[in-house]
Amino acid sequence: MGDEVIEQNGVELSNVEAGTGKEKIVMEEDESADDRPAWDNKIQYLLSQIGFAVGLGNVWRFPYLCQRNGGGAFLIPYLIMLVIEGIPIFHLELAIGQRIRKGSIDVWNQINPLLGGVGVAMVAVSFLVALYYNVIIGWCAFYFFNSFQAPLPWATCPGNGTVLECEKSSPTAYFWYREALDTSESIEDGGGINWKMMLCIFTAWLIVCVCMIKGIKSSGKAIYFTATFPYVVLLIFFVRGVTLEGAGDGLAFMFLPKLDKLADPIVWLEAATQIFFSLSVAFGGLISFSSYNPRKNNCTRDAVVVAIINSGTSIFASIVIFSVLGFKAVTDSRKCLQEFQDVLDTRVPGFASTNTTVTAANYMDLWGEYNTTNPAVRDFNFGYCSKEGNLNNAVGGTGLAFVVFTEAMNQFYPLEMGPFWSILFFLMLANLGLSSMFGTLEGVITPLRDAGIWKWRKEFLVVLLCVVCFLIGLIFAQYSGSYWLDIFNDYSGTFPLLIIAFFENIAIVYVYGLKRLSDDLEYMTGSRPNIYWKVTWMFLTPISMLVIFGATIYTEATRTITYKGWDAALGQVVDKGPYPWWGEMMCYVLICLPSLFIPLVFFLRLTGVMPYRGETLKSKQARVVKSGSRGAISKQNLVTDSVTSVSGSLAAYPANGVINPASTAL
């Protein structure tokens, strides 16, 4: 059969195996003229992606959801959602970033200028999340600096029993809410700037700025430590945790499933959202990181490996957390029973002479016997006497890291080792946060530069971005800062991501085209996507996101937005009621603002108000074809010929006939 030329997406391509029904697209590109920064090696890239995906949510949000939603039963929907939602979207972002080698804004502009709003929305979400995420790193820095003293400042209450706020709560809760945050009574009471927190937040931004000043050349070096050190600490805590008394109770609570929970749709909803947000999709950081890869890289394998490591880290961290929580539950129960024993011995006449020991099995019987005749017995607080009750008290987020876990570390033996455990723990949390911050800010910096919005040196952009974020972030350094952080955490990086990822999936699979994507993946990885990828991309992933989207809208529309806060008089967290009108408006702004860029840019481009003047993939391919950079290649004889690359430089076919497929397969 003679030479045959076929047409693929409007571009003339060579049919190497004409008549076989299996076409191979043969293209060649000279990437030597591409001055885009690149990773030093594959390990550095994988560590950066792992560091971005594995963050604080793996350590404090996943254990909390697991605890609240039936322990082992939660793992079932979690793993199902990982397969049908998390890994497919993760793969799409790695593939499109590696193929086009641009940041999130330019990626979507090149696919179709009408979709440019998807990239802008990604940048907006990354910016909003960066504002508050680095504040948590600042909190970790505060605790880290306070860990270099023995005993730890949160080990006992100050004032020898005279500080009622501490006596009514606990030393760790008092230190967190009063010494660290010095939190106000409500979000309406700003109270000015907490200078201690301001300095710690400034330190956190300074560290991020220094690590990112040279782009991936500097953050890529830092990632060797920030991405691996948390695993070293988790391993140390794992060895310490599983040897603690009560660790078995905590692990049994985690792994023994309460199967009735599977009938609750909220459990499935929270499993899906945890997978979705834990992998950091729709931020743009994954696209930016993968854009620094060579085009010949197996992004399919990378997606599976990083996603599995991320979920494995969540489960491993939960084992550590639940072993410590089991220890704390047993310790608190024993302490509570001993306090009740002391009340009975000292307040009930003749009880001490009976030599009765209070146990978990008989304390309620003893209370029923004496509560009618003795006010001290009647009013005794049994809140921590039940081991099972302690494990059922779901504590997540900052409460888990800065109150519960620090309290458990206070009881690690030997007690003199408390500062050591505290230093390790908060250094680990800071590193988890930093590695995620690198990816989050890269989702802002890379798109702005690739789209030509920022034309000056990258170092200036990094410094400017960090300064702006720090100044805006001073809202979190107020005495009411923790309330504002809860708003940003609950609304800026949750619902908008769902909307962005849905449009991302639809745009790539149905606008860009599954066949074109398959051609690209064959070029980049050497194989086309199998049936699993096709079914999830086309059906399961978008449908699951639509279901989550509808369930979330229904949930939010049928409830009043309320918040909780610290009550100094009671020494505990209480329900503060609904937000003031401006607080509720801020919640809706954070939900809607990033998402609105998608229809806004679509409308402006469609009407010609904001035309795209750059080069799209379609026009680039047409230019390459018009310049005569492609020629027919015979099945019998692969002609040695020079072809013009996209950049205009010449690249010759190898004399041995082995063709390097061009990156313009798109």
Side-chain angles (χ1 to χ4, degrees):
M1 183 178 295
D3 294 348
E4 181 181 352
V5 176
I6 63 171
E7 184 172 305
Q8 172 79 18
N9 298 314
V11 180
E12 289 184 340
L13 304 172
S14 304
N15 184 3
V16 180
E17 296 184 5
T20 65
K22 186 177 180 181
E23 298 177 353
K24 291 184 179 180
I25 302 174
V26 181
M27 304 179 199
E28 192 173 70
E29 172 191 32
D30 180 10
E31 294 190 15
S32 61
D34 189 354
D35 60 352
R36 188 171 185 79
W39 301 105
D40 291 345
N41 51 65
K42 184 64 175 285
I43 296 297
Q44 188 182 78
Y45 163 69
L46 286 177
L47 286 177
S48 296
Q49 291 285 29
I50 291 170
F52 181 36
V54 177
L56 295 170
N58 298 75
V59 174
W60 67 29
R61 191 169 189 266
F62 179 82
Y64 161 69
L65 292 176
C66 191
Q67 182 185 34
R68 191 174 71 180
N69 293 307
F74 181 72
L75 296 178
I76 298 173
Y78 175 82
L79 294 175
I80 292 175
M81 290 298 149
L82 172 67
V83 172
I84 70 172
E85 183 183 278
I87 296 179
I89 292 291
F90 197 86
H91 186 196
L92 281 180
E93 292 205 1
L94 296 193
I96 208 71
Q98 179 176 309
R99 177 59 190 84
I100 302 178
R101 291 171 65 82
K102 295 291 183 181
S104 56
I105 293 179
D106 225 27
V107 157
W108 298 105
N109 282 335
Q110 290 201 19
I111 291 176
N112 191 316
L114 296 178
L115 299 174
V118 177
V120 179
M122 287 180 167
V123 172
V125 167
S126 292
F127 178 78
L128 292 174
V129 170
L131 287 176
Y132 79 86
Y133 203 85
N134 216 33
V135 174
I136 302 174
I137 301 176
W139 291 348
C140 294
F142 179 79
Y143 269 76
F144 176 76
F145 295 143
N146 277 279
S147 297
F148 291 90
Q149 51 186 304
L152 291 168
W154 51 83
T156 58
C157 285
N160 295 321
T162 60
V163 181
L164 296 181
E165 184 179 0
C166 184
E167 298 299 325
K168 289 183 177 181
S169 55
S170 68
T172 54
Y174 175 81
F175 186 86
W176 169 238
Y177 289 106
R178 187 56 54 216
E179 296 295 334
L181 299 180
D182 199 7
T183 186
S184 60
E185 286 295 315
S186 70
I187 191 173
E188 297 173 276
D189 180 15
I193 297 293
N194 181 342
W195 66 269
K196 293 182 293 186
M197 284 296 106
M198 184 188 72
L199 289 178
C200 289
I201 295 171
F202 174 80
T203 302
W205 278 113
L206 182 63
I207 293 172
V208 170
C209 185
V210 170
C211 290
M212 296 195 65
I213 195 71
K214 292 294 183 181
I216 64 170
K217 291 300 180 183
S218 54
S219 65
K221 298 295 188 299
I223 205 70
Y224 285 113
F225 178 76
T226 59
T228 57
F229 180 75
Y231 287 96
V232 175
V233 177
L234 280 176
L235 184 60
I236 294 173
F237 271 100
F238 170 78
V239 174
R240 183 69 183 99
V242 296
T243 59
L244 292 170
E245 179 189 7
D249 296 294
L251 295 178
F253 184 88
M254 174 185 174
F255 285 109
L256 293 179
K258 299 176 182 176
L259 296 178
D260 60 301
K261 285 284 189 177
L262 294 177
D264 186 353
I266 298 299
V267 174
W268 291 84
L269 174 64
E270 294 196 336
T273 53
Q274 172 61 16
I275 278 289
F276 191 79
F277 306 130
S278 175
L279 287 173
S280 302
V281 296
F283 281 95
L286 298 176
I287 294 177
S288 296
F289 276 163
S290 62
S291 73
Y292 298 120
N293 270 337
R295 286 196 175 95
K296 286 296 228 177
N297 174 67
N298 195 335
C299 55
T300 302
R301 181 177 57 204
D302 293 345
V304 175
V305 168
V306 175
I308 290 177
I309 289 176
N310 175 73
S311 297
T313 301
S314 294
I315 295 174
F316 181 64
S318 294
I319 293 174
V320 175
I321 296 296
F322 274 98
S323 64
V324 174
L325 291 181
F327 163 73
K328 184 177 183 298
V330 170
T331 304
D332 287 348
S333 176
R334 182 186 298 117
K335 179 181 177 183
C336 179
L337 294 176
Q338 182 58 51
E339 290 175 353
F340 188 50
Q341 176 86 57
D342 294 340
V343 168
L344 292 175
D345 287 341
T346 58
R347 299 297 184 89
V348 178
F351 182 83
S353 61
T354 64
N355 294 321
T356 302
T357 301
V358 176
T359 66
N362 67 8
Y363 74 93
M364 289 307 296
D365 292 333
L366 292 173
W367 179 83
E369 182 178 348
Y370 295 108
N371 77 87
T372 58
T373 59
N374 193 299
V377 175
R378 183 185 65 239
D379 298 334
F380 186 81
N381 181 12
F382 292 99
Y384 296 101
C385 286
S386 170
K387 180 176 61 179
E388 292 73 19
N390 294 338
L391 286 170
N392 276 312
N393 288 329
V395 180
T398 55
L400 175 64
F402 297 102
V403 178
V404 176
F405 214 83
T406 51
E407 187 171 339
M409 287 188 292
N410 282 342
Q411 302 172 51
F412 283 2
Y413 292 99
L415 296 179
E416 294 77 12
M417 292 289 288
F420 171 76
W421 298 114
S422 183
I423 290 169
L424 279 184
F425 180 70
F426 289 108
L427 189 58
M428 176 192 73
L429 287 185
N431 277 275
L432 283 171
L434 284 172
S435 57
S436 294
M437 275 297 297
F438 296 157
T440 303
L441 285 185
E442 201 64 52
V444 178
I445 295 169
T446 300
L448 293 180
R449 298 187 72 240
D450 286 347
I453 299 173
W454 181 269
K455 303 180 184 297
W456 299 274
R457 292 174 61 90
K458 183 173 185 177
E459 292 88 339
F460 297 154
L461 177 58
V462 172
V463 173
L464 178 63
L465 181 62
C466 290
V467 170
V468 170
C469 287
F470 168 70
L471 293 177
I472 298 176
L474 288 178
I475 189 175
F476 305 112
Q478 298 181 101
Y479 294 103
S480 60
S482 61
Y483 303 119
W484 284 103
L485 187 134
D486 287 339
I487 289 178
F488 273 72
N489 184 46
D490 290 340
Y491 297 100
S492 67
T494 52
F495 200 70
L497 295 181
L498 188 64
I499 300 173
I500 293 170
F502 175 78
F503 280 101
E504 183 178 32
N505 190 149
I506 297 300
I508 295 177
V509 175
Y510 291 101
V511 178
Y512 180 69
L514 184 60
K515 188 177 189 307
R516 297 176 72 187
L517 178 64
S518 300
D519 292 338
D520 296 339
L521 287 170
E522 184 178 23
Y523 159 64
M524 293 187 294
T525 68
S527 61
R528 301 178 74 81
N530 57 34
I531 189 66
Y532 160 71
W533 298 113
K534 293 179 180 179
V535 170
T536 52
W537 286 335
M538 295 182 69
F539 306 110
L540 295 182
T541 302
I543 290 174
S544 67
M545 285 192 289
L546 274 179
V547 171
I548 296 170
F549 183 80
T552 305
I553 290 179
Y554 174 79
T555 301
E556 293 297 325
T558 55
R559 74 181 182 96
T560 302
I561 302 178
T562 61
Y563 72 106
K564 294 183 178 182
W566 181 252
D567 189 305
L570 298 176
Q572 62 185 28
V573 176
V574 299
D575 191 348
K576 294 290 185 177
Y579 282 111
W581 69 266
W582 43 265
E584 189 169 345
M585 287 300 299
M586 177 58 71
C587 296
Y588 292 126
V589 167
L590 292 175
I591 290 174
C592 299
L593 180 62
S595 309
L596 286 177
F597 284 111
I598 299 175
L600 178 62
V601 173
F602 180 90
F603 176 77
L604 294 177
R605 292 267 166 83
L606 190 65
T607 57
V609 176
M610 190 180 71
Y612 177 63
R613 305 187 186 282
E615 189 175 37
T616 65
L617 291 172
K618 185 175 181 180
S619 63
K620 181 185 295 185
Q621 291 173 338
R623 173 173 58 79
V624 171
V625 172
K626 186 176 180 179
S627 67
S629 62
R630 284 175 171 75
I633 300 179
S634 170
K635 177 183 176 182
Q636 291 80 11
N637 180 30
L638 295 177
V639 180
T640 303
D641 191 15
S642 1
V643 292
T644 306
S645 69
V646 174
S647 62
S649 60
L650 295 179
Y653 287 110
N656 60 7
V658 178
I659 305 299
N660 176 29
S663 66
T664 51
L666 212 57

